[in-house]
Amino acid sequence: MNVAGTRVGPLAAAVALAAAAFTPAAAGAQVMRPVAPQEQPVVLRGATIHTVTKGTIQNGTIVLERGKITAIGGPEVAAPRAAKIVDVTGKHIYPGLIDAYSTVGITEIGSVDMSNDITELGDFNPNVRADVAVNAESRHIGTTRSAGVLVAFSTPEGGVISGLSSALSLEGWTWEEMSMKGAAALNVKWPDPNARPRRFGGGGPPGRGGPPQPAPKTYAEQVEEIRNWFAEARAYRDAVKAGQVVRTDARYAAMIPALDGAIPVVVAAEAASQINDAITWAKAEGVKLVIRGGRDALVVADRLKAENVPVILTSTMAAPDRQYEGYDNAYATPTRLHEAGVKFAIAGGSGGLYSYRLPWEAGVAVAFGLPEEVALKAVTINAAEFMGIADKVGSLEVGKEGTLLITTGTPLDMTSTIVQSYIQGREINMMDIHKFFFEKYMEKIRQQAPRKITP
C-alpha cells in the first residue's frame, strides 16, 4: 500500500497496519469507523483478477476512480495521474460477495426485542422498507464484511406480504449512505397447504370477555387473500395512471414496481406444492418471480427451468428435514439444481448473525460437487441479477462500483484470508468486533504470562 511515488510490499504493509490496529486503544477506536468516499485514484497491480463474467486475468491491473472501476486488464493498463499504486502480486481479486437474503442491519441481539426491527404488526405490510430501519452501527456489519460479504439484501419478516428488501452497501455512516436500492424486491410468504388453518386478525378467546375470533382461514382462502391484495393494488395503480382522484394508500403504491415488473416478487416457499402454486399464481399475475427457500426445488426443477424461475437457496448447510432424506440433501442441492439447468443464488442463512457464513455456504456446495465458478456466481452475479443491481455490483467490469476483495485464495475456502476489501473504491477498515475481542483477550494472556526476574 502506498502513495504515488513510493511502493510498499503487500506483506510489509499488512504487518504494519496490523501492528497499528491491534493495540487495544487503536482497536477500540477503529471498530466500525466508516471511511470517506474515494477521492484519490487507486490502482491494484499484480493480482489474479477473477471477473466472474469475463474470465480470469493473470498479473492483472484494476483501476478505481470516484468509486467506480474505470479500467481492468493486464500489466499494460496505465495508472491515472497521482494514483495510489497498490502492489498485490501473488494475491487474488474477487468481486464483493452478495447475500441475497439477510437481516443484517435490522437485527442485533435475538433475546433483546428492542434491538430487532424485523417484523411489523399485521399480515399485509408491502410498504415496509428495510433500509430505513438499518442500524449503521451494527456489529454484525463489520463481521459480515470481514468474511467478504460487502452487499446484503436486508429483508423484513412476518405476515403474508412482509415488505420490501433493500440492497445495502455495507459501508457508511447512515442508512441513506448505505442504501443502494431501497425497494429491491417485494416479499411474500406463501401459505403452507399442510399447516393447520390460521387465523387472520385478533380477538380474545371466546367466552372470556374478548370479542369473538374470526374463523380460521383455509389454504385456499389464504391464497385468495394474496390474490385480492394484488388485484386491489393493480386497480389502484390503474386509477392513478388514468388520472383519477384516489385516496393515497402507501401499501398499494409500494406494490406498483412489482406489478410493473420493475422489481421481483420473492416468494418464500419450501414444499413442492407451494412452489408449484406460487409459479402458477405469478404467471397469472404477470409478476417477475423468485423462489426463496426452495427445500423441494429439485422436485419441481423441470418446471423451474421451463418457466425460467430462479431460486434463492437458504439452507445449504442444513441437516435433513425428513427421515428419508440423505445426510447430504441440502449440501448437494445446488449441484443437482445446476445439473438440471435451474438458476440459483445461495444466501447466508437469513439472520444478520449468520450473513458472515455466506462464503462457506457456497463452499460446502463445492465440496459436494458444484463447480467453483458456479458457486462463485451464486454469491455474486446471480444474486445481483435476480434482485436488479447487476449494473452496479456482482462482477468486475468497467463502469461498475469498485466493490471487491483482495484475498490469498478463493473466498469460498475457510483457509483463505481476506487481506483487504474495497467498497465503492473506499479502502475499508478491516477491524471488526471479533478481531477486537481476540486482541483484547490476547493482551490479557500476555499480561498474565510469567515474567522473567532480572538479577
Side-chain angles (χ1 to χ4, degrees), residues 220-438:
E221 289 171 332
Q222 291 177 61
V223 173
E224 190 62 24
E225 288 273 355
I226 297 173
R227 288 198 181 100
N228 290 341
W229 266 86
F230 274 77
E232 290 166 8
R234 188 174 288 105
Y236 177 89
R237 177 200 64 182
D238 294 344
V240 170
K241 287 184 176 179
Q244 299 177 18
V245 178
V246 296
R247 181 179 178 182
T248 300
D249 193 311
R251 298 169 300 172
Y252 295 147
M255 296 173 67
I256 292 175
L259 295 172
D260 290 344
I263 63 173
V265 176
V266 177
V267 173
E270 298 285 358
S273 59
Q274 290 177 293
I275 297 172
N276 267 321
D277 287 354
I279 294 173
T280 300
W281 166 81
K283 285 182 68 176
E285 296 288 348
V287 297
K288 188 187 302 182
L289 176 66
V290 176
I291 295 294
R292 189 183 75 218
R295 180 190 63 196
D296 287 345
L298 283 172
V299 179
V300 291
D302 289 344
R303 189 176 185 195
L304 288 168
K305 179 184 177 182
E307 304 284 358
N308 196 28
V309 175
V311 179
I312 298 172
L313 296 171
T314 58
S315 57
T316 303
M317 291 200 299
D321 288 325
R322 294 164 286 202
Q323 289 184 342
Y324 60 82
E325 292 177 344
Y327 80 97
D328 62 344
N329 185 68
Y331 310 150
T333 290
T335 300
R336 294 167 184 160
L337 286 178
H338 171 61
E339 291 169 350
V342 177
K343 297 179 181 178
F344 63 90
I346 295 174
S350 81
L353 182 63
Y354 302 116
S355 281
Y356 78 94
R357 301 194 314 186
L358 176 65
W360 308 318
E361 296 270 359
V364 164
V366 175
F368 282 80
L370 187 67
E372 185 178 318
E373 63 273 15
V374 177
L376 185 62
K377 287 182 177 180
V379 290
T380 54
I381 191 63
N382 288 2
E385 288 178 347
F386 300 168
M387 307 293 269
I389 57 169
D391 60 325
K392 298 180 179 179
V393 290
S395 62
L396 300 177
E397 301 178 49
V398 172
K400 290 194 176 184
E401 293 182 358
T403 297
L404 53 85
L405 312 171
I406 302 172
T407 73
T408 59
T410 172
L412 309 187
D413 188 336
M414 285 186 176
T415 63
S416 297
T417 299
I418 296 173
V419 177
Q420 183 61 58
S421 297
Y422 286 78
I423 294 180
Q424 296 171 347
R426 301 187 247 191
E427 184 179 341
I428 69 169
N429 173 10
M430 297 298 289
M431 176 57 68
D432 64 54
I433 198 65
H434 287 177
K435 295 173 183 174
F436 169 68
F437 280 123
F438 171 80

Side-chain angles (χ1 to χ4, degrees), residues 45-352:
R45 285 199 186 278
T48 300
I49 300 176
H50 304 262
T51 67
V52 172
T53 54
K54 297 187 177 180
T56 301
I57 304 171
Q58 303 292 335
N59 191 18
T61 302
I62 188 165
V63 181
L64 311 179
E65 297 183 80
R66 298 179 298 280
K68 299 289 183 70
I69 299 172
T70 56
I72 185 168
E76 73 284 353
V77 172
R81 186 176 179 181
K84 176 181 177 179
I85 313 295
V86 184
D87 181 5
V88 287
T89 302
K91 300 296 187 295
H92 297 259
I93 297 179
Y94 291 86
L97 306 185
I98 302 171
D99 192 346
Y101 174 48
S102 175
T103 56
V104 68
I106 57 175
T107 183
E108 198 67 20
I109 304 170
S111 59
V112 180
D113 289 344
M114 292 178 63
S115 71
N116 298 288
D117 198 0
I118 304 172
T119 304
E120 292 294 324
L121 295 175
D123 289 308
F124 297 93
N125 296 292
N127 55 314
V128 169
R129 215 177 76 195
D131 61 350
V132 298
V134 164
N135 171 23
E137 301 293 332
S138 171
R139 290 180 173 183
H140 297 311
I141 292 174
T143 55
T144 299
R145 297 187 317 187
S146 289
V149 183
L150 305 185
V151 176
F153 286 91
S154 203
T155 302
E157 300 281 348
V160 179
I161 301 181
S162 306
L164 297 160
S165 295
S166 298
L168 300 178
S169 179
L170 298 185
E171 171 70 6
W173 289 99
T174 63
W175 71 264
E176 292 95 337
E177 193 175 344
M178 295 170 66
S179 181
M180 298 173 64
K181 189 174 183 180
L186 181 66
N187 292 274
V188 174
K189 286 189 175 180
W190 199 259
D192 184 352
N194 299 315
R196 293 178 60 186
R198 67 190 295 268
R199 296 179 184 274
F200 279 63
R208 295 191 182 180
Q213 290 185 318
K217 298 284 185 179
T218 65
Y219 173 72
E221 289 171 332
Q222 291 177 61
V223 173
E224 190 62 24
E225 288 273 355
I226 297 173
R227 288 198 181 100
N228 290 341
W229 266 86
F230 274 77
E232 290 166 8
R234 188 174 288 105
Y236 177 89
R237 177 200 64 182
D238 294 344
V240 170
K241 287 184 176 179
Q244 299 177 18
V245 178
V246 296
R247 181 179 178 182
T248 300
D249 193 311
R251 298 169 300 172
Y252 295 147
M255 296 173 67
I256 292 175
L259 295 172
D260 290 344
I263 63 173
V265 176
V266 177
V267 173
E270 298 285 358
S273 59
Q274 290 177 293
I275 297 172
N276 267 321
D277 287 354
I279 294 173
T280 300
W281 166 81
K283 285 182 68 176
E285 296 288 348
V287 297
K288 188 187 302 182
L289 176 66
V290 176
I291 295 294
R292 189 183 75 218
R295 180 190 63 196
D296 287 345
L298 283 172
V299 179
V300 291
D302 289 344
R303 189 176 185 195
L304 288 168
K305 179 184 177 182
E307 304 284 358
N308 196 28
V309 175
V311 179
I312 298 172
L313 296 171
T314 58
S315 57
T316 303
M317 291 200 299
D321 288 325
R322 294 164 286 202
Q323 289 184 342
Y324 60 82
E325 292 177 344
Y327 80 97
D328 62 344
N329 185 68
Y331 310 150
T333 290
T335 300
R336 294 167 184 160
L337 286 178
H338 171 61
E339 291 169 350
V342 177
K343 297 179 181 178
F344 63 90
I346 295 174
S350 81

